[in-house]
Amino acid sequence: MKAVVVVGAQWGDEGKGKVVDYMAASFDYIARCQGGHNAGHTVIWNGKRFILQLVPSGILRPGKIAIIGPGVVFDPHAFLAEIDALAKAEIDVKGRLFVSNRAHLIFPYHRQLDQASEANRAGGKIGTTSRGIGPSYEDKMGRRGLRVADLLDTETFRAKLEALIREKSAVSEAAYGQPIDATGLVDSYLAMADRIRGFVADTAAMLWRAADEGRSLLFEGAQGTMLDIDHGTYPYVTSSSATAGGASTGLGFPPTGISDVIGVTKAYCTRVGEGPFPSEIHGEQGEAIRQKGAEFGAVTGRARRCGWLDLPLLRYSNMINGTAWLVVTKLDVLDELAEIPVCVGYKSNRKRTADMPAQASGYDKIECVYEKLPGWRKSTLGNDTLEKLPAKARAYLEFVEKQSGARIGMISTGPERDATIVPPGTRLAALLS
């Protein structure tokens, strides 16, 4: 069985959109397992820029089936806006795009509660996108959420949502002094139900039937390992399982059916929002990398914090995910540097440590140990074979491969689809053949 999971190996924004779009040419089904419309996956194809938030990146490949799984929190407004934008770009999704009937819904009051909670957080802001993702997952775990199947049951949906609105308004007013404004909310969602109905399916059953028929499956995660609710830099994390295990829970596909896990890492590091960042670069050099790499959020436009590649973090990510193969993106951003520091270890209380702190405050005690590698000072932009890379760029990749414990099976040298290197003779090359 060919069922491959693609996860972010850092704090998200590693370029998974482009990677999934590239790999989708070799797969039949592409399924999104978690997150919501807070994740912007950017794909550039034929000079056109697509920013996909809910719809899996594989939808841009003709004939491929795209699935939004039950582990995703689903905003109908965002979904319909996205498929309308795809239609304007002449991307036909009819019969190719499906939404799980078990996916939990996001409502406007989730966004209001998200914003109010962030503004009133006593321990400092988390840095959420204020899209209602966290509050929707809270309702899911509190067993009071409404799902896509509820929306399609128009006879009972109104009563269920009106009861929830009363509850949420009372909570919001008591906690934040802000009642919920739900004017026209029920009717607006019921109006969307008819447009959404044709996309809804039991997606877990779809994936199993596809696997039974010998079809190939590509599972797409959102965010990154260090934002995982269990294994990331808690509490500065997302509200879902952004690691490889999230593909099983978020799609209803058992781990025994997954053949490969692929981690995506930049050639350096970035992070959006608050939270620990041991290898962060401050000052002019950090800003130079931000500008060169266009490190601004695809959804929010927020500037990303930039740092050197963190190998202890990458080793931790590989361990958690069982990553055998890495994709390295944005190698070209480092082209102009004469020297490239890489974090090869941590010190805590002047002693080397291999452990990742369980508390966010523990990162304050960490000191990065750097090894400086020579830069190549030549353009790698658009290179599509390993032989075209400068020798020092290849040496940098070989160092990362040796130190991280996972093989490098793909290198991205620019935003365009074809600015991609897949070294021949690897397992990843075989998966893409």
Side-chain angles (χ1 to χ4, degrees):
M1 184 184 295
K2 189 163 104 172
V4 176
V5 181
V6 175
V7 296
Q10 299 168 315
W11 281 288
D13 307 308
E14 300 95 347
K16 295 184 295 298
K18 175 193 167 173
V19 172
V20 171
D21 167 70
Y22 186 90
M23 293 182 65
S26 304
F27 289 80
D28 300 311
Y29 285 69
I30 300 88
R32 169 84 176 275
C33 61
Q34 45 79 221
H37 67 304
N38 58 335
H41 291 177
T42 303
V43 177
I44 297 177
W45 173 47
N46 284 347
K48 295 180 180 179
R49 188 170 185 253
F50 297 87
I51 298 176
L52 301 168
Q53 297 178 44
L54 278 171
V55 179
S57 305
I59 199 68
L60 301 179
R61 295 281 189 174
K64 306 300 178 179
I65 305 297
I67 285 175
I68 297 172
V72 175
V73 283
F74 181 78
D75 186 319
H77 286 286
F79 174 74
L80 292 175
E82 199 164 326
I83 62 172
D84 286 345
L86 287 168
K88 287 182 181 178
E90 299 182 343
I91 305 296
D92 183 16
V93 302
K94 187 176 181 180
R96 298 199 300 121
L97 176 60
F98 298 92
V99 180
S100 171
N101 51 11
R102 291 172 170 82
H104 277 252
L105 296 168
I106 296 176
F107 294 100
Y109 58 72
H110 287 131
R111 293 191 291 274
Q112 184 175 335
L113 290 169
D114 201 353
Q115 293 163 3
S117 174
E118 185 77 343
N120 289 274
R121 192 176 292 275
K125 293 184 177 182
I126 297 295
T128 76
T129 59
S130 297
R131 297 295 178 99
I133 309 301
S136 180
Y137 275 116
E138 287 179 32
D139 280 354
K140 174 180 177 176
M141 294 305 178
R143 294 168 293 180
R144 56 182 171 269
L146 293 179
R147 305 193 293 181
V148 171
D150 295 304
L151 176 60
L152 300 189
D153 185 357
T154 54
E155 292 184 5
T156 63
F157 179 75
R158 181 180 295 275
K160 288 179 180 179
L161 182 53
E162 286 176 347
L164 266 176
I165 290 168
R166 288 192 294 272
E167 176 188 328
K168 293 297 179 183
S169 189
V171 168
S172 182
E173 191 161 16
Y176 309 118
Q178 301 175 17
I180 297 293
D181 180 9
T183 305
L185 173 58
V186 179
D187 289 335
S188 71
Y189 269 66
L190 285 172
M192 289 186 286
D194 284 339
R195 284 196 68 192
I196 291 169
R197 191 178 301 275
F199 295 98
V200 178
D202 182 340
T203 56
M206 281 186 68
L207 288 173
W208 259 115
R209 283 196 297 268
D212 193 50
E213 293 167 2
R215 304 297 182 109
S216 53
L217 314 175
L218 182 62
F219 300 151
E220 174 186 37
Q223 289 90 35
T225 298
M226 299 309 294
L227 295 180
D228 182 89
I229 186 66
D230 293 305
H231 304 290
T233 50
Y234 190 89
Y236 302 96
V237 292
T238 193
S239 300
S240 59
S241 297
T243 48
S248 290
T249 56
L251 291 170
F253 199 86
T256 51
I258 293 171
S259 60
D260 297 87
V261 177
I262 296 168
V264 185
T265 174
K266 284 177 179 166
Y268 49 99
C269 274
T270 63
R271 177 168 195 160
V272 170
E274 307 300 321
F277 193 171
S279 66
E280 185 171 7
I281 310 166
H282 299 281
E284 292 182 3
Q285 195 158 35
E287 181 61 28
I289 290 177
R290 182 180 299 114
Q291 295 299 327
K292 172 87 178 198
E295 296 295 356
F296 300 92
V299 173
T300 63
R302 291 186 296 177
R304 297 174 186 141
R305 298 153 63 191
C306 297
W308 303 118
L309 186 62
D310 187 331
L311 289 171
L313 181 151
L314 195 53
R315 288 191 287 267
Y316 174 79
S317 173
N318 291 344
M319 176 187 74
I320 293 295
N321 292 302
T323 305
W325 292 94
L326 288 172
V327 177
V328 178
T329 64
K330 294 202 170 184
L331 182 70
D332 54 295
V333 175
L334 304 181
D335 283 350
E336 298 173 7
L337 299 180
E339 190 175 65
I340 306 170
V342 177
C343 175
V344 296
Y346 293 154
K347 277 186 180 179
S348 181
N349 296 321
R350 299 183 180 180
K351 295 181 179 179
R352 291 289 288 261
T353 178
D355 296 332
M356 301 295 288
Q359 293 177 291
S361 59
Y363 286 86
D364 296 336
K365 302 171 185 176
I366 277 179
E367 175 187 349
C368 285
V369 178
Y370 288 102
E371 186 165 333
K372 294 181 179 178
L373 302 182
W376 40 93
R377 307 300 296 273
K378 295 178 182 178
S379 176
T380 63
L381 183 63
N383 284 7
D384 56 3
T385 65
L386 206 57
E387 291 73 25
K388 291 181 181 178
L389 292 180
K392 290 179 181 177
R394 293 199 299 272
Y396 182 84
L397 294 169
E398 288 166 5
F399 181 84
V400 171
E401 186 174 74
K402 182 178 179 181
Q403 291 281 326
S404 72
R407 296 281 307 279
I408 294 174
M410 186 187 296
I411 304 126
S412 174
T413 58
E416 289 282 351
R417 179 183 280 173
D418 294 333
T420 305
I421 299 170
V422 181
T426 66
R427 165 69 177 169
L428 190 47
L431 287 171
L432 298 179
S433 63

